[in-house]
Amino acid sequence: MTYPDTITLAKGAHKDRSDGLCLLEAVAWFAGEPHSDHPACVSPVLAAYGRSLNDALGDDSRRLLIPFISVLSRTAGDGLDEARGYLALDWIIRVYTPAWLDVAGLTREARALRDLRCISDMAAVQDARPVVLSAWDAAWAAARAAARAAAGAAAWAAAWDAAGDAAWAAAWAAAGDAARAAAWDAAGDAAGDAARDAARDAARDALAPIVTQLQDSAIILLSAMIQPETTT
């Protein structure tokens, strides 16, 4: 079928196509499948990431996902999901988290995460684990201090609530069982709790540039995850 140039991707799931289309619902339409945001033709890893990313983006940025509709429809069962999971986990650890640590002034912890080798296998996960847990401990302490003082690391905490939370959840969902170690769950839950406690609405405008930067990076990640064997 020829996909309409005028398509608009909308946030969330929809009861039918007349009600709107999210990215994965558009893929189902393109592939000739029944209306669903869980089309059979899409890798479950990419589907998890795509659903969350679709909802994390604003309307203008969401349009950037339209070119991925056709290529997503050919990813189910292609044997690349483990590599995709590691790409998502690597992005969480070496791109997403350091960006917010920098906002909080935790530049040493941010640099330590960026300096980790690429998270491409379980050995790399194990090597990174103490560095990541140390960074989370610092972030947790900073967020708790921000909640009490509404200063300093408050920007980091608000960022999770403003936009980052959705992008982090998207990549975390995509990482799935292929790349996730149990210890990360506890660290992630703690950081999420701290962020919710410390969020400050006043920081949203100041955080807009980094939110945009990470959303752009998240879209690039989607492209890399579709063909992970070409990613170096």
Side-chain angles (χ1 to χ4, degrees):
M1 64 179 289
T2 301
Y3 218 84
D5 294 336
T6 56
I7 185 173
T8 298
L9 296 179
K11 182 176 180 179
H14 304 85
K15 62 181 180 179
D16 56 43
R17 286 165 185 161
S18 66
D19 187 43
L21 292 169
C22 71
L23 173 63
L24 272 296
E25 292 166 340
V27 174
W29 182 22
F30 177 88
E33 293 189 23
H35 179 73
S36 171
D37 63 354
H38 287 68
C41 62
V42 181
S43 147
V45 172
L46 289 172
Y49 184 68
R51 281 187 295 270
S52 293
L53 183 60
N54 176 89
D55 292 351
L57 298 175
D59 292 341
D60 290 341
S61 295
R62 196 178 294 116
R63 287 198 57 80
L64 299 176
L65 302 181
I66 293 174
F68 295 108
I69 292 171
S70 62
V71 291
L72 283 170
S73 70
R74 301 187 295 270
T75 57
D78 61 7
L80 299 175
D81 281 351
E82 182 173 357
R84 289 172 178 137
Y86 281 119
L87 276 175
L89 191 60
D90 183 74
W91 185 82
I92 294 168
I93 293 169
R94 299 200 303 140
V95 177
Y96 178 85
T97 301
W100 296 127
L101 291 174
D102 280 338
V103 171
L106 300 174
T107 55
R108 180 173 63 85
E109 290 80 2
R111 184 169 60 252
L113 292 182
R114 291 190 178 104
D115 287 346
L116 289 168
R117 68 184 177 97
C118 180
I119 311 299
S120 57
D121 53 36
M122 192 52 68
V125 171
Q126 295 301 329
D127 289 346
R129 182 175 179 272
V131 181
V132 174
L133 293 179
S134 176
W136 279 123
D137 286 344
W140 169 264
R144 288 182 66 87
R148 291 192 299 269
W156 175 87
W160 290 80
D161 189 55
D165 200 22
W168 185 90
W172 188 256
D177 292 335
R180 188 184 300 168
W184 304 80
D185 286 327
D189 289 344
D193 290 343
R196 285 189 291 272
D197 291 343
R200 292 291 181 271
D201 290 343
R204 291 177 187 269
D205 289 345
L207 291 167
I210 194 168
V211 168
T212 298
Q213 173 190 329
L214 283 176
Q215 289 181 344
D216 290 345
S217 177
I219 294 171
I220 294 170
L221 174 63
L222 175 60
S223 180
M225 288 171 66
I226 290 171
Q227 289 293 333
E229 73 274 17
T230 65
T231 304
T232 57

